[in-house]
Amino acid sequence: MSVVKSSLSEADRKTVGDALQGALVDLVDLGLVAKQVHWNVVGPRFRSIHLQLDEVVVTARQHSDVVAERASAIGVNPDGRAASVASGSAIGDVPSGWIKDTEAVKILVDALVAVIARMRERIVATDEPDPVTQDILIGLTADLEKHAWMFQAESA
């Protein structure tokens, strides 16, 4: 049951809600992973990577809020609880301990590539049922692709 009425059909609301929930989980985890690596990165490129990681955190947090609020707006309960994030994220595990700067870049590129691939699937899935949500997903994917490019340039 939803207390918020939506102009979307139930089937469309389910499709769009699933896309938004998946995006929320991936964005919350991306922010956590970037912060974990941020706290533990070491090496000659520490400062630049450290700062770059915070930019990813800001992007992930801002977009996660937009995604969650869009879900609420169409009558879908967003779920950013730790258990939901842990079970639904596309991002692999981050090692504990200090992380060499070159490994930090690899971890973030891998995480971004995984999230971007799923975002692109969600863009396709929301094309017909809700262009408004699709537009949100397109914008956030563009921002994630920019971060992926910048991290990949670190390892060139």
Side-chain angles (χ1 to χ4, degrees):
M1 180 188 109
S2 175
V3 296
V4 176
K5 303 297 179 213
S6 172
S7 61
L8 299 176
S9 70
E10 280 302 310
D12 287 350
R13 197 167 69 98
K14 168 102 173 79
T15 298
V16 174
D18 289 348
L20 289 166
Q21 179 59 35
L24 177 61
V25 163
D26 283 345
L27 288 167
V28 169
D29 199 24
L30 180 62
L32 293 171
V33 165
K35 205 53 154 163
Q36 180 65 25
V37 175
H38 166 91
W39 293 324
N40 290 286
V41 65
V42 294
R45 294 182 296 159
F46 163 80
R47 181 156 174 74
S48 65
I49 293 171
H50 184 79
L51 295 172
Q52 200 172 349
L53 287 161
D54 265 345
E55 293 172 5
V56 173
V57 171
V58 168
T59 296
R61 287 179 179 169
Q62 287 174 340
H63 283 294
S64 65
D65 194 48
V66 170
V67 163
E69 289 179 356
R70 178 65 186 157
S72 292
I74 65 166
V76 174
N77 297 101
D79 185 357
R81 295 172 300 157
S84 299
V85 172
S87 68
S89 176
I91 302 172
D93 291 336
V94 175
S96 63
W98 302 117
I99 301 170
K100 185 84 174 114
D101 53 3
T102 53
E103 182 63 16
V105 169
K106 182 183 179 330
I107 289 167
L108 257 293
V109 168
D110 290 349
L112 286 161
V113 166
V115 171
I116 289 165
R118 288 182 23 151
M119 290 300 177
R120 287 187 162 278
E121 291 170 3
R122 294 173 185 127
I123 289 168
V124 171
T126 57
D127 176 35
E128 277 298 313
D130 188 22
V132 175
T133 295
Q134 184 191 44
D135 186 55
I136 291 168
L137 297 173
I138 289 168
L140 78 86
T141 301
D143 287 349
L144 295 178
E145 287 179 340
K146 184 175 180 181
H147 286 300
W149 158 56
M150 290 185 172
F151 272 106
Q152 290 175 63
E154 285 279 347
S155 59

